[in-house]
Amino acid sequence: MRLVSPLLKHVVYPGLAMTGYFRRGAGDGPAIVTYHGVLPAGYSAIDPDLDGSLVTARSLRLQLRLLQDRYHVISPEQFLLWRRSERELPARSVLLTCDDGLRNTLTDMLPILQEYGVSCLFFVTGASLSDTPSMLWYEELWLMFLAGPEEFALGEIGLDIPVTGREEKRSLWWNAVKRLSPYGSDDRRVLLDQVRVRLGLGHDWNAKYLTDPVLNRRFFTLTAAELQKLGQAGMSIGAHTLSHPMLSEMSTEAVWSEISESRHGLQQALGQPVWALAYPFGGFTSVTRRELEMAERAGFQCAFLNVGGGFGAATPYFALPRVHVAADMNLAQFEAHVSGFYRAARRRLLSEADIDILGVGA
């Protein structure tokens, strides 16, 4: 599939889009798309592994225009009523969601949503219950890797395999994410500080991210006051766990805390029910049936994955599939995913086991 991706992206998808094939072939809905924020104006991409999930303002506008012209963008409230079997949805309905609660969702994404008159379901972590902004810990870890030496090992967290190149660094980072996920936030912070020291970085290594307004909007999370502004603007708020760990790597007790306490904390802060959860990372290796059962037990009405979306997909309420919108998607590719064409074509080419292993591709 990867070998033919350029042909699909630049020839097949645009051709099918021009004929209206995607719209005509769209199956039952709703389709759910998920963003991770908008790249702030003036921001220069640092790394594709970091920035590949954030779209430009121009791309978001084009995508919203396409969805409004060819599909029916529904509100989170309409989606909830559908979930409760209290209303039908229009044909080809699309729900907008956004994960992580970065500051750019308020400063750069919200104005565009308002420009097009649409609402979005934003999933935020426990970090947005604080008055102090912070980085997502796994992004902070990757930034440390990028700022550190080319060759190193991390014996402090049991990863003493030496890194000698970019791909090995990426692999070590992902293993470190899994290795650090079982820890609570405080213990994880101690370990991150040990990693920083091992990489030879000073206490102020991230000063530019704090002081530069563009970098700050890109990498820091919403504060409690900013979260209130997002809600007051008519956006819906859902939970993304307390600290965005890989839940499948955690103990049952820790998973329950991450899921249930995130809902409780947000409800107290917002003064309203929190009915939706998005699983961190949201792939087939990071979410198990245990997490699905806990989401329901914690009182959520539904919970969202980050893979497998598009019209025609099955919609189990606690494993709702979504289209992950990547930075490098062109408009035709975006519609191929939303319409369900991409998922259906992939299933014809790969077995279910292969899909589970590979997750979402280009």
mmCIF file of all heavy atoms in Angstrom, residues 66-100:
data_model
loop_
_atom_site.group_PDB
_atom_site.id
_atom_site.type_symbol
_atom_site.label_atom_id
_atom_site.label_comp_id
_atom_site.label_asym_id
_atom_site.label_seq_id
_atom_site.Cartn_x
_atom_site.Cartn_y
_atom_site.Cartn_z
ATOM 1 N N LEU A 66 -14.921 22.186 1.978
ATOM 2 C CA LEU A 66 -15.311 20.957 1.287
ATOM 3 C C LEU A 66 -16.416 20.241 2.070
ATOM 4 O O LEU A 66 -17.416 19.787 1.486
ATOM 5 C CB LEU A 66 -14.094 20.048 1.122
ATOM 6 C CG LEU A 66 -14.326 18.715 0.404
ATOM 7 C CD1 LEU A 66 -13.098 18.339 -0.421
ATOM 8 C CD2 LEU A 66 -14.642 17.586 1.378
ATOM 9 N N LEU A 67 -16.241 20.126 3.382
ATOM 10 C CA LEU A 67 -17.235 19.422 4.193
ATOM 11 C C LEU A 67 -18.581 20.138 4.146
ATOM 12 O O LEU A 67 -19.639 19.483 4.089
ATOM 13 C CB LEU A 67 -16.748 19.312 5.638
ATOM 14 C CG LEU A 67 -15.546 18.392 5.878
ATOM 15 C CD1 LEU A 67 -15.129 18.434 7.342
ATOM 16 C CD2 LEU A 67 -15.847 16.963 5.451
ATOM 17 N N GLN A 68 -18.577 21.453 4.159
ATOM 18 C CA GLN A 68 -19.841 22.180 4.106
ATOM 19 C C GLN A 68 -20.489 22.115 2.725
ATOM 20 O O GLN A 68 -21.714 22.092 2.619
ATOM 21 C CB GLN A 68 -19.622 23.639 4.516
ATOM 22 C CG GLN A 68 -19.345 23.815 5.999
ATOM 23 C CD GLN A 68 -19.334 25.266 6.433
ATOM 24 O OE1 GLN A 68 -18.830 26.136 5.726
ATOM 25 N NE2 GLN A 68 -19.864 25.548 7.605
ATOM 26 N N ASP A 69 -19.688 22.046 1.677
ATOM 27 C CA ASP A 69 -20.224 21.989 0.319
ATOM 28 C C ASP A 69 -20.778 20.609 -0.019
ATOM 29 O O ASP A 69 -21.786 20.499 -0.732
ATOM 30 C CB ASP A 69 -19.136 22.349 -0.695
ATOM 31 C CG ASP A 69 -18.793 23.828 -0.689
ATOM 32 O OD1 ASP A 69 -19.566 24.609 -0.106
ATOM 33 O OD2 ASP A 69 -17.742 24.192 -1.267
ATOM 34 N N ARG A 70 -20.133 19.554 0.469
ATOM 35 C CA ARG A 70 -20.458 18.202 0.013
ATOM 36 C C ARG A 70 -21.055 17.303 1.089
ATOM 37 O O ARG A 70 -21.619 16.248 0.775
ATOM 38 C CB ARG A 70 -19.203 17.542 -0.567
ATOM 39 C CG ARG A 70 -18.595 18.321 -1.712
ATOM 40 C CD ARG A 70 -17.373 17.636 -2.276
ATOM 41 N NE ARG A 70 -16.766 18.431 -3.345
ATOM 42 C CZ ARG A 70 -15.687 18.071 -4.036
ATOM 43 N NH1 ARG A 70 -15.086 16.918 -3.763
ATOM 44 N NH2 ARG A 70 -15.205 18.852 -4.993
ATOM 45 N N TYR A 71 -20.908 17.681 2.338
ATOM 46 C CA TYR A 71 -21.376 16.852 3.434
ATOM 47 C C TYR A 71 -22.191 17.718 4.402
ATOM 48 O O TYR A 71 -22.594 18.817 4.048
ATOM 49 C CB TYR A 71 -20.180 16.168 4.123
ATOM 50 C CG TYR A 71 -19.383 15.321 3.156
ATOM 51 C CD1 TYR A 71 -18.296 15.855 2.458
ATOM 52 C CD2 TYR A 71 -19.739 14.002 2.898
ATOM 53 C CE1 TYR A 71 -17.579 15.086 1.538
ATOM 54 C CE2 TYR A 71 -19.031 13.220 1.987
ATOM 55 C CZ TYR A 71 -17.957 13.775 1.304
ATOM 56 O OH TYR A 71 -17.268 13.009 0.403
ATOM 57 N N HIS A 72 -22.446 17.212 5.575
ATOM 58 C CA HIS A 72 -23.245 17.955 6.542
ATOM 59 C C HIS A 72 -22.494 17.943 7.869
ATOM 60 O O HIS A 72 -22.461 16.919 8.556
ATOM 61 C CB HIS A 72 -24.629 17.304 6.698
ATOM 62 C CG HIS A 72 -25.593 18.140 7.481
ATOM 63 N ND1 HIS A 72 -26.600 18.875 6.904
ATOM 64 C CD2 HIS A 72 -25.689 18.380 8.811
ATOM 65 C CE1 HIS A 72 -27.285 19.512 7.818
ATOM 66 N NE2 HIS A 72 -26.743 19.235 9.002
ATOM 67 N N VAL A 73 -21.901 19.071 8.238
ATOM 68 C CA VAL A 73 -21.158 19.164 9.489
ATOM 69 C C VAL A 73 -22.148 19.325 10.639
ATOM 70 O O VAL A 73 -22.934 20.272 10.667
ATOM 71 C CB VAL A 73 -20.166 20.350 9.471
ATOM 72 C CG1 VAL A 73 -19.395 20.407 10.795
ATOM 73 C CG2 VAL A 73 -19.196 20.216 8.302
ATOM 74 N N ILE A 74 -22.118 18.392 11.577
ATOM 75 C CA ILE A 74 -23.037 18.426 12.711
ATOM 76 C C ILE A 74 -22.306 18.908 13.965
ATOM 77 O O ILE A 74 -21.077 18.886 14.042
ATOM 78 C CB ILE A 74 -23.652 17.030 12.983
ATOM 79 C CG1 ILE A 74 -22.546 16.002 13.286
ATOM 80 C CG2 ILE A 74 -24.510 16.608 11.810
ATOM 81 C CD1 ILE A 74 -23.072 14.664 13.753
ATOM 82 N N SER A 75 -23.065 19.335 14.947
ATOM 83 C CA SER A 75 -22.499 19.783 16.213
ATOM 84 C C SER A 75 -22.296 18.587 17.137
ATOM 85 O O SER A 75 -22.947 17.542 16.972
ATOM 86 C CB SER A 75 -23.430 20.794 16.883
ATOM 87 O OG SER A 75 -24.612 20.139 17.331
ATOM 88 N N PRO A 76 -21.430 18.725 18.130
ATOM 89 C CA PRO A 76 -21.302 17.658 19.132
ATOM 90 C C PRO A 76 -22.630 17.358 19.830
ATOM 91 O O PRO A 76 -22.915 16.201 20.160
ATOM 92 C CB PRO A 76 -20.272 18.228 20.112
ATOM 93 C CG PRO A 76 -19.432 19.145 19.284
ATOM 94 C CD PRO A 76 -20.405 19.773 18.322
ATOM 95 N N GLU A 77 -23.453 18.381 20.047
ATOM 96 C CA GLU A 77 -24.744 18.166 20.705
ATOM 97 C C GLU A 77 -25.668 17.304 19.835
ATOM 98 O O GLU A 77 -26.382 16.427 20.352
ATOM 99 C CB GLU A 77 -25.406 19.514 21.001
ATOM 100 C CG GLU A 77 -24.709 20.334 22.076
ATOM 101 C CD GLU A 77 -23.389 20.936 21.609
ATOM 102 O OE1 GLU A 77 -23.218 21.134 20.376
ATOM 103 O OE2 GLU A 77 -22.526 21.195 22.480
ATOM 104 N N GLN A 78 -25.655 17.532 18.535
ATOM 105 C CA GLN A 78 -26.434 16.680 17.631
ATOM 106 C C GLN A 78 -25.929 15.239 17.667
ATOM 107 O O GLN A 78 -26.716 14.294 17.643
ATOM 108 C CB GLN A 78 -26.355 17.229 16.204
ATOM 109 C CG GLN A 78 -27.110 18.513 15.975
ATOM 110 C CD GLN A 78 -26.877 19.059 14.571
ATOM 111 O OE1 GLN A 78 -25.753 19.366 14.199
ATOM 112 N NE2 GLN A 78 -27.949 19.164 13.804
ATOM 113 N N PHE A 79 -24.614 15.102 17.724
ATOM 114 C CA PHE A 79 -24.034 13.761 17.787
ATOM 115 C C PHE A 79 -24.464 13.052 19.062
ATOM 116 O O PHE A 79 -24.800 11.859 19.036
ATOM 117 C CB PHE A 79 -22.506 13.852 17.726
ATOM 118 C CG PHE A 79 -21.813 12.511 17.759
ATOM 119 C CD1 PHE A 79 -21.600 11.809 16.582
ATOM 120 C CD2 PHE A 79 -21.389 11.955 18.958
ATOM 121 C CE1 PHE A 79 -20.976 10.569 16.602
ATOM 122 C CE2 PHE A 79 -20.759 10.716 18.989
ATOM 123 C CZ PHE A 79 -20.548 10.029 17.805
ATOM 124 N N LEU A 80 -24.464 13.757 20.192
ATOM 125 C CA LEU A 80 -24.856 13.147 21.459
ATOM 126 C C LEU A 80 -26.314 12.701 21.418
ATOM 127 O O LEU A 80 -26.657 11.614 21.912
ATOM 128 C CB LEU A 80 -24.639 14.144 22.604
ATOM 129 C CG LEU A 80 -25.052 13.675 24.005
ATOM 130 C CD1 LEU A 80 -24.307 12.408 24.398
ATOM 131 C CD2 LEU A 80 -24.812 14.781 25.028
ATOM 132 N N LEU A 81 -27.187 13.506 20.847
ATOM 133 C CA LEU A 81 -28.589 13.111 20.733
ATOM 134 C C LEU A 81 -28.732 11.874 19.862
ATOM 135 O O LEU A 81 -29.560 10.995 20.140
ATOM 136 C CB LEU A 81 -29.412 14.271 20.165
ATOM 137 C CG LEU A 81 -29.591 15.477 21.095
ATOM 138 C CD1 LEU A 81 -30.285 16.612 20.355
ATOM 139 C CD2 LEU A 81 -30.372 15.087 22.348
ATOM 140 N N TRP A 82 -27.941 11.787 18.798
ATOM 141 C CA TRP A 82 -27.938 10.582 17.956
ATOM 142 C C TRP A 82 -27.470 9.384 18.771
ATOM 143 O O TRP A 82 -28.057 8.300 18.700
ATOM 144 C CB TRP A 82 -27.042 10.803 16.742
ATOM 145 C CG TRP A 82 -26.764 9.546 15.985
ATOM 146 C CD1 TRP A 82 -27.559 8.951 15.053
ATOM 147 C CD2 TRP A 82 -25.591 8.717 16.090
ATOM 148 N NE1 TRP A 82 -26.965 7.802 14.568
ATOM 149 C CE2 TRP A 82 -25.756 7.635 15.191
ATOM 150 C CE3 TRP A 82 -24.418 8.784 16.855
ATOM 151 C CZ2 TRP A 82 -24.794 6.632 15.044
ATOM 152 C CZ3 TRP A 82 -23.464 7.795 16.714
ATOM 153 C CH2 TRP A 82 -23.656 6.726 15.818
ATOM 154 N N ARG A 83 -26.421 9.585 19.548
ATOM 155 C CA ARG A 83 -25.907 8.491 20.396
ATOM 156 C C ARG A 83 -26.980 7.998 21.355
ATOM 157 O O ARG A 83 -27.082 6.792 21.632
ATOM 158 C CB ARG A 83 -24.679 9.000 21.168
ATOM 159 C CG ARG A 83 -24.298 8.227 22.430
ATOM 160 C CD ARG A 83 -23.858 6.812 22.117
ATOM 161 N NE ARG A 83 -23.530 6.083 23.324
ATOM 162 C CZ ARG A 83 -24.381 5.343 24.032
ATOM 163 N NH1 ARG A 83 -25.652 5.266 23.658
ATOM 164 N NH2 ARG A 83 -23.985 4.696 25.111
ATOM 165 N N ARG A 84 -27.820 8.877 21.839
ATOM 166 C CA ARG A 84 -28.885 8.502 22.777
ATOM 167 C C ARG A 84 -30.152 8.031 22.073
ATOM 168 O O ARG A 84 -31.180 7.808 22.718
ATOM 169 C CB ARG A 84 -29.229 9.707 23.666
ATOM 170 C CG ARG A 84 -28.109 10.105 24.621
ATOM 171 C CD ARG A 84 -28.457 11.411 25.319
ATOM 172 N NE ARG A 84 -27.503 11.750 26.364
ATOM 173 C CZ ARG A 84 -27.457 12.915 26.999
ATOM 174 N NH1 ARG A 84 -28.324 13.874 26.679
ATOM 175 N NH2 ARG A 84 -26.553 13.137 27.937
ATOM 176 N N SER A 85 -30.082 7.926 20.750
ATOM 177 C CA SER A 85 -31.239 7.506 19.941
ATOM 178 C C SER A 85 -32.400 8.479 20.072
ATOM 179 O O SER A 85 -33.570 8.088 19.981
ATOM 180 C CB SER A 85 -31.677 6.094 20.334
ATOM 181 O OG SER A 85 -30.624 5.172 20.147
ATOM 182 N N GLU A 86 -32.084 9.758 20.269
ATOM 183 C CA GLU A 86 -33.116 10.784 20.426
ATOM 184 C C GLU A 86 -33.322 11.606 19.165
ATOM 185 O O GLU A 86 -34.206 12.467 19.144
ATOM 186 C CB GLU A 86 -32.742 11.702 21.601
ATOM 187 C CG GLU A 86 -32.734 10.983 22.945
ATOM 188 C CD GLU A 86 -32.302 11.879 24.092
ATOM 189 O OE1 GLU A 86 -32.163 13.102 23.871
ATOM 190 O OE2 GLU A 86 -32.085 11.361 25.199
ATOM 191 N N ARG A 87 -32.506 11.381 18.127
ATOM 192 C CA ARG A 87 -32.709 12.066 16.867
ATOM 193 C C ARG A 87 -31.959 11.343 15.762
ATOM 194 O O ARG A 87 -30.999 10.598 16.015
ATOM 195 C CB ARG A 87 -32.262 13.523 16.932
ATOM 196 C CG ARG A 87 -30.761 13.726 17.047
ATOM 197 C CD ARG A 87 -30.361 15.138 16.666
ATOM 198 N NE ARG A 87 -30.602 15.391 15.242
ATOM 199 C CZ ARG A 87 -30.623 16.610 14.705
ATOM 200 N NH1 ARG A 87 -30.449 17.679 15.454
ATOM 201 N NH2 ARG A 87 -30.819 16.772 13.416
ATOM 202 N N GLU A 88 -32.435 11.544 14.538
ATOM 203 C CA GLU A 88 -31.732 11.046 13.365
ATOM 204 C C GLU A 88 -30.762 12.121 12.884
ATOM 205 O O GLU A 88 -30.958 13.316 13.143
ATOM 206 C CB GLU A 88 -32.724 10.708 12.253
ATOM 207 C CG GLU A 88 -33.689 9.588 12.609
ATOM 208 C CD GLU A 88 -32.990 8.249 12.745
ATOM 209 O OE1 GLU A 88 -32.016 8.019 11.988
ATOM 210 O OE2 GLU A 88 -33.406 7.456 13.602
ATOM 211 N N LEU A 89 -29.743 11.709 12.176
ATOM 212 C CA LEU A 89 -28.794 12.653 11.611
ATOM 213 C C LEU A 89 -29.004 12.772 10.104
ATOM 214 O O LEU A 89 -29.429 11.815 9.458
ATOM 215 C CB LEU A 89 -27.357 12.191 11.893
ATOM 216 C CG LEU A 89 -26.904 12.224 13.348
ATOM 217 C CD1 LEU A 89 -25.495 11.651 13.469
ATOM 218 C CD2 LEU A 89 -26.953 13.636 13.910
ATOM 219 N N PRO A 90 -28.685 13.927 9.534
ATOM 220 C CA PRO A 90 -28.776 14.065 8.082
ATOM 221 C C PRO A 90 -27.820 13.103 7.380
ATOM 222 O O PRO A 90 -26.836 12.631 7.975
ATOM 223 C CB PRO A 90 -28.358 15.523 7.835
ATOM 224 C CG PRO A 90 -28.492 16.205 9.156
ATOM 225 C CD PRO A 90 -28.243 15.168 10.198
ATOM 226 N N ALA A 91 -28.104 12.804 6.144
ATOM 227 C CA ALA A 91 -27.205 11.957 5.361
ATOM 228 C C ALA A 91 -25.828 12.606 5.279
ATOM 229 O O ALA A 91 -25.709 13.827 5.219
ATOM 230 C CB ALA A 91 -27.778 11.745 3.966
ATOM 231 N N ARG A 92 -24.810 11.785 5.292
ATOM 232 C CA ARG A 92 -23.411 12.216 5.169
ATOM 233 C C ARG A 92 -23.041 13.249 6.246
ATOM 234 O O ARG A 92 -22.441 14.283 5.964
ATOM 235 C CB ARG A 92 -23.136 12.773 3.770
ATOM 236 C CG ARG A 92 -23.357 11.752 2.653
ATOM 237 C CD ARG A 92 -22.773 12.217 1.337
ATOM 238 N NE ARG A 92 -23.415 13.405 0.826
ATOM 239 C CZ ARG A 92 -24.503 13.413 0.055
ATOM 240 N NH1 ARG A 92 -25.077 12.271 -0.272
ATOM 241 N NH2 ARG A 92 -25.002 14.554 -0.376
ATOM 242 N N SER A 93 -23.390 12.937 7.496
ATOM 243 C CA SER A 93 -23.051 13.816 8.613
ATOM 244 C C SER A 93 -21.600 13.620 9.028
ATOM 245 O O SER A 93 -21.094 12.489 9.064
ATOM 246 C CB SER A 93 -23.965 13.533 9.808
ATOM 247 O OG SER A 93 -25.285 13.927 9.539
ATOM 248 N N VAL A 94 -20.937 14.720 9.368
ATOM 249 C CA VAL A 94 -19.535 14.691 9.798
ATOM 250 C C VAL A 94 -19.406 15.437 11.121
ATOM 251 O O VAL A 94 -19.880 16.571 11.261
ATOM 252 C CB VAL A 94 -18.607 15.348 8.744
ATOM 253 C CG1 VAL A 94 -17.157 15.338 9.231
ATOM 254 C CG2 VAL A 94 -18.723 14.624 7.405
ATOM 255 N N LEU A 95 -18.762 14.789 12.089
ATOM 256 C CA LEU A 95 -18.473 15.412 13.378
ATOM 257 C C LEU A 95 -16.998 15.804 13.424
ATOM 258 O O LEU A 95 -16.121 15.007 13.077
ATOM 259 C CB LEU A 95 -18.759 14.429 14.517
ATOM 260 C CG LEU A 95 -18.339 14.885 15.925
ATOM 261 C CD1 LEU A 95 -19.191 16.056 16.398
ATOM 262 C CD2 LEU A 95 -18.406 13.718 16.916
ATOM 263 N N LEU A 96 -16.727 17.033 13.869
ATOM 264 C CA LEU A 96 -15.357 17.515 14.021
ATOM 265 C C LEU A 96 -14.906 17.312 15.462
ATOM 266 O O LEU A 96 -15.615 17.675 16.404
ATOM 267 C CB LEU A 96 -15.258 19.003 13.684
ATOM 268 C CG LEU A 96 -15.760 19.446 12.313
ATOM 269 C CD1 LEU A 96 -15.638 20.969 12.197
ATOM 270 C CD2 LEU A 96 -14.995 18.760 11.203
ATOM 271 N N THR A 97 -13.711 16.739 15.640
ATOM 272 C CA THR A 97 -13.117 16.614 16.968
ATOM 273 C C THR A 97 -11.668 17.076 16.903
ATOM 274 O O THR A 97 -11.074 17.181 15.821
ATOM 275 C CB THR A 97 -13.167 15.160 17.493
ATOM 276 O OG1 THR A 97 -12.270 14.331 16.736
ATOM 277 C CG2 THR A 97 -14.577 14.582 17.397
ATOM 278 N N CYS A 98 -11.097 17.351 18.068
ATOM 279 C CA CYS A 98 -9.698 17.795 18.132
ATOM 280 C C CYS A 98 -9.110 17.349 19.467
ATOM 281 O O CYS A 98 -9.686 17.598 20.523
ATOM 282 C CB CYS A 98 -9.606 19.312 17.991
ATOM 283 S SG CYS A 98 -7.908 19.938 17.999
ATOM 284 N N ASP A 99 -7.960 16.706 19.417
ATOM 285 C CA ASP A 99 -7.315 16.156 20.608
ATOM 286 C C ASP A 99 -6.198 17.046 21.148
ATOM 287 O O ASP A 99 -5.642 17.877 20.426
ATOM 288 C CB ASP A 99 -6.710 14.781 20.291
ATOM 289 C CG ASP A 99 -7.770 13.710 20.072
ATOM 290 O OD1 ASP A 99 -8.974 14.038 20.140
ATOM 291 O OD2 ASP A 99 -7.393 12.547 19.829
ATOM 292 N N ASP A 100 -5.868 16.831 22.413
ATOM 293 C CA ASP A 100 -4.664 17.312 23.112
ATOM 294 C C ASP A 100 -4.809 18.650 23.818
ATOM 295 O O ASP A 100 -4.110 18.923 24.782
ATOM 296 C CB ASP A 100 -3.434 17.370 22.195
ATOM 297 C CG ASP A 100 -2.994 15.993 21.723
ATOM 298 O OD1 ASP A 100 -3.423 14.992 22.345
ATOM 299 O OD2 ASP A 100 -2.254 15.914 20.731
#
